[in-house]
Amino acid sequence: MPKIVGRTLLCATVAATLLAAPLASVSVASANTAGTGLVIAEAYLKGGSANALFNKKFVEIANPTDAPVSVDGWSLQYRSATGSAAFSTSGLEGTVPANGTFLVTMAGNGATGADLPAADDTPTLNASGTTGTLVLSDQSKALTLPTGAIAAGTAGVVDLLGYGASNTFEGHVRTVDGGNTVPNGLVRQGTVDSDDNAADFSVTTTLTPTNAADETAPTDPTDPTDPTDPGAPAEAVTIAQLQGTTDTSPYVGKSVVTKGVVTAVYATGGFNGYTVQTPDTGGAIDFGTHTASDGVFVFSSATASQVAAGDYVQLAGSVSEYSGLTELNVAAGGMTKLTETVSAPRAATVAFPSSDAQRESLESMLVAPQGDYTVADNYTTNQYGEVVLASGTKRLIQPTEVARPGSAAAKAVEADNAARKVTLDDGGSTNFLTQANKSIPVSWLTQGPVTVGAAATFTKPVVLDYRNDSWKFQPTSPITGATAKTDLPATFSNVRTTKPQDVGGDLKLAGFNVLNYFPTTGDQLTGCSYYTDRDGDPVTVNSGCNARGAAEQEDFERQQVKIVKAINGLGADVVSLEEIENSAEFGQDRDAAVATLVGALNAATGADTWAYVKSPKTLPASEDVIRLALIYKKDRVAPTGESTILIDPAFTNARQPVADAFRPVGGTADDEFLVIANHFKSKGSGTGENADQGDGQGASNADRVKQATALAAFSAKMQTQYGTDKVFMLGDFNAYSQEDPMVVLDEAGYTDLGPALDSPEWSYVFSGLSGSLDHVLASPAALATVTGVDIWNINSVESVALEYSRYNYNATNLYTDDVYRASDHDPILVGFDLTGDTTPTDPGTDPTDPGTDPTDPTDPGTAPGAGQTPAPTPGAGSTPVAPSESSLTDANRGTVTAPSSARAGETITIGVGTQYAGQRVNVWMFSTPTLLGTVTVAADGTVRVTIPADAPAGPHRTVVTAADGSLIGWTTITIDPVTGALAFTGADLTGGIAAALLLLAAGAGVLVARRRRARVA
């Protein structure tokens, strides 16, 4: 199969082409049997499955012609093997190079397999690995094709691949060998399309995914070879002329000579180059007049070690676009140091630009980022040393967390996310997870925690860079974990909390995902394969057996201690557990794993504190290897009867809900409440009606809707069975707050307590987007008793490097036996009052975690009452009292700080003072005293609160009082009027979009990864 030529040859070829045909343009073509149009060249749709070759799915599009072909406005479409309705569709953007390829990647079924090269586009389709129909279409509208053989020339069809047992195909269907766990894919024989899938494609285990830049290496690649002088006549240009005013240099493929001051050097770490900038440029930037960048990246491993920051140099080389980054390729002898004295460039003092055009005008320039930045994602920090940031004080939010799927409001959230996302990199392409690099201390995480939601503060200039389809801030030299903290260009605030917020109430209820807690370790079974640490020692099970957790006992113990400390630290009286081993699958008592966890919890409290709800007599005929469970504190509550498992066809692909009612110790029937634990079908796979519809809800949404409907009916039945209408349904619903399953439960009369009472926090982070898959829903009678809710952000916001599953993966061992990253989902805690005057029996002295240093401030097990909840009085807790406005004088203003202005509904950071760290404070807004929240001061002396959505515009005061009501201080703030303008872009908004922005400002927005059109060298 033809591939595009390498980058060095490409520069010369493009130069010659420009000289010979300066008016050549991008064309649009369709596939045909003559081989003169685009075709699907490779399809690998088993990505991420056990034994997978790659961790993502991909479709490679080939261009056998001598002219580049634009796919702007085109789409990749998918329909299930048995489907006959409209195809699921996802738009394409970009250009397939002449005689080249274009790589389209999609989410995998899991994490197994190698990384793919950088994608040219990333549609949201979820194609089956074994059977279905793919269509490359020259239109964005969804096709509705008949079943059977599709006629050549069918409108909208450029190429079609029917595979497996699909009912739609060209000529004859291409059969597929094996299921998802059989590592193979489909490859076209050459690039000619004979309109017969069976003849054109064959099954292969040798796939060559290649993108438009001719890269076959994994993401975050190093440049392949040193460039050579293409021999074209050199033209003297300024750097701004070289860059041009679009996303592609007007000098691509040409030889130029330019001058600049070296601003950053990357002789090591994989970049193999440096940046230069025109003297005396930068500083204050006016985007109205500044339209071309004054900086450029110089790719030159031959000269990178010969320069230092501050050198004034003359450079001769060829210009190229490498994966979207304009580069000057300089061979040995192409760099000359100049002796004349020039004014040094200055860092551009700008907030992160909201548009690509403004970002392009700063590409490879020094910048001193202005304004607030917030950590949005740290999932790849332990692999590539990069931290995703959001400009402003808010995280990036899942659109369907705050807006209905596919709505204008959801699209407004997407636009806001795209305007604010930028990645802080480490100046290198090191993959810290490869065996060769595990001895290098990982960047950023070694120097301290990097937590989602933390404020990032820039202390040194950085370079604005574009790599791997993302805008990035690069330090001016490569960093690793060995770099001194004082030499890093940014710092992060500490937003960790050592215990949940006080939710009040006579009793407390929590949900906790225990991350595949399996006392049955892999080494107890046969056939298991493992993920291993840097010494080759197994850590977690990969595949080959039914175990899903720890590889060996030592690994299990590392997992267990974190979970035990987190659950005991919650202070809950009843806890719902998800992802715990169903021990019956291993020939043991079904409750064996739950009993093991309860035993560990009791050992930590030093008392017989916890018990578990035993499995009922009636069990499903078939169950998953993971299950749900309920545990409770014996001195606080007791089950009123045997538990009940919902046995319903809707849950054949999910964990069956379990219900039981509880009565407080010493209480009456009026005090009883019903708890139903849940774990719905995941978003990762589905066909037919369960295929990903591209609306943000992922795959299997139809099944989750059925599960929600069945759950609502089950709850009604259980209320009758157990004799109480106070119902809490909690767990991992695998649906964000505005998605269809949650709407079903809302319409059934249940209130989702997280968005209702703790909207600035979410339980999960995926692809840099924060949202809640975990929920506690209350019936009207239960809602009336609720006193508070807290999503305790100890898991989803922490790097995966802290998990037991990453123990000894790097020279810096980031695992500690504390609560942080005990799981990947955050627990939710709910406080509620009893209806009568009954108080549960006082459990007695509050034990601490034996063997834990009682002075350790990060161990929630050492906090007063850890592991036990003191006996409450119904309705206990005092209501904060606002200070009088007359008492707010300049003399007692204190050192409280706040932003000078904010929007109604915006979440802001209030500076209280490090001397108050760990203390509970009340935050008010005057003139009319309004309590914004009672919160715990973080270690850096700050708190986060949300301005009411109905706050009137104009001047106000923010006031902070201590728990005893004494005044700590106050400051002024101006609430900006609502204008309906889209933040960062100025687009006029009305209706649903404006509403979404208000939700977003309230801290309930979501991030959707923005695709930036790839640029072809």
Side-chain angles (χ1 to χ4, degrees), residues 118-344:
D120 297 308
D121 210 333
T122 54
T124 56
L125 300 176
N126 185 21
S128 166
T130 58
T131 183
T133 305
L134 286 167
V135 174
L136 175 63
S137 175
D138 56 5
Q139 65 184 42
S140 59
K141 183 180 178 181
L143 297 171
T144 303
L145 299 178
T147 60
I150 300 301
T154 297
V157 177
V158 176
D159 195 16
L160 182 147
L161 170 59
Y163 60 100
S166 177
N167 62 11
T168 309
F169 42 82
E170 289 184 352
H172 299 86
V173 69
R174 171 67 259 178
T175 57
V176 173
D177 295 343
N180 280 338
T181 59
V182 178
N184 56 35
L186 300 174
V187 61
R188 181 180 290 276
Q189 308 303 302
T191 54
V192 174
D193 184 2
S194 72
D195 285 336
D196 190 323
N197 293 152
D200 290 340
F201 286 88
S202 62
V203 176
T204 182
T205 58
T206 306
L207 292 152
T208 57
T210 307
N211 62 19
D214 200 29
E215 297 170 327
T216 58
T219 307
D220 210 354
T222 57
D223 291 317
T225 57
D226 273 343
T228 56
D229 185 353
E235 178 181 349
V237 296
T238 65
I239 294 175
Q241 290 172 323
L242 183 160
Q243 281 279 10
T245 57
T246 68
D247 61 359
T248 303
S249 168
Y251 288 90
V252 166
K254 295 183 179 180
S255 296
V256 300
V257 175
T258 193
K259 298 177 182 179
V261 177
V262 177
T263 54
V265 179
Y266 309 105
T268 61
F271 285 1
N272 298 322
Y274 45 99
T275 56
V276 295
Q277 187 169 327
T278 302
D280 200 28
T281 58
I285 295 292
D286 179 1
F287 287 114
T289 57
H290 178 84
T291 57
S293 174
D294 294 305
V296 69
F297 178 77
V298 180
F299 173 65
S300 178
S301 58
T303 65
S305 61
Q306 300 172 11
V307 299
D311 288 347
Y312 185 41
V313 295
Q314 178 174 289
L315 302 164
S318 62
V319 179
S320 67
E321 292 289 338
Y322 186 68
S323 296
L325 176 68
T326 302
E327 294 184 351
L328 179 61
N329 302 274
V330 175
M335 183 276 297
T336 304
K337 292 186 180 181
L338 304 176
T339 58
E340 61 188 284
T341 301
V342 295
S343 298

Side-chain angles (χ1 to χ4, degrees), residues 843-884:
T845 304
D846 299 328
T848 58
D849 185 355
T852 303
D853 181 355
T855 63
D856 182 356
T858 66
D859 182 2
T862 64
Q868 297 280 353
T869 305
T873 301
S878 58
T879 302
V881 177
S884 64

Side-chain angles (χ1 to χ4, degrees), residues 892-920:
N892 58 21
R893 187 165 184 156
T895 58
V896 169
T897 62
S900 59
S901 64
R903 298 185 302 275
E906 182 176 357
T907 299
I908 62 173
T909 299
I910 303 290
V912 182
T914 55
Q915 66 271 34
Y916 297 100
Q919 297 184 28
R920 300 284 287 174

